[in-house]
Amino acid sequence: GGGRWLTPPYDINAAETRAVRAIMDAFGHHFGRGATIKWFVDNTSTLAGVQRQFSRTFAMNEEIRRVVDWLRSKDVAVSFAYVNSADNLADAASRMFR
């Protein structure tokens, strides 16, 4: 998913983590119990925070908690992996607004 963040958190790492949750909210109804999902993110802070389920910043922790809560509510197998920004198709859409 891509887009321009006009609402808090303005911290890029928290916004990137919120983007993961927004995509989960938007497409989560497509995933049934027992599904396997692989999420690709281009923000290493988001990747590490979601994998650890913890961040050093309050704003990130709020978003990470929401991601983890969503994952637990869906009972799905999930993995997260890094993708370079140049290879991230969603990244181009968000950059055209800058």
Side-chain angles (χ1 to χ4, degrees):
R4 185 174 183 194
W5 297 107
L6 301 175
T7 58
Y10 298 112
D11 174 87
I12 187 64
N13 296 324
E16 291 278 352
T17 307
R18 185 174 58 186
V20 170
R21 186 179 52 82
I23 294 301
M24 290 175 167
D25 288 344
F27 295 101
H29 62 280
H30 293 290
F31 307 119
R33 290 209 173 301
T36 300
I37 306 167
K38 186 163 190 169
W39 298 97
F40 292 91
V41 296
D42 64 0
N43 182 282
T44 56
S45 294
T46 295
L47 180 62
V50 170
Q51 288 175 333
R52 285 190 317 248
Q53 298 184 6
F54 175 79
S55 172
R56 293 184 185 118
T57 67
F58 176 78
M60 285 258 322
N61 277 327
E62 283 296 303
E63 297 302 330
I64 289 168
R65 181 188 54 78
R66 290 179 179 129
V67 168
V68 170
D69 287 349
W70 185 94
L71 294 172
R72 287 184 181 146
S73 74
K74 295 296 179 186
D75 190 29
V76 295
V78 177
S79 65
F80 287 84
Y82 178 76
V83 61
N84 288 318
S85 289
D87 298 325
N88 183 354
L89 299 176
D91 206 43
S94 65
R95 296 203 186 280
M96 75 178 181
F97 292 107
R98 294 182 189 161

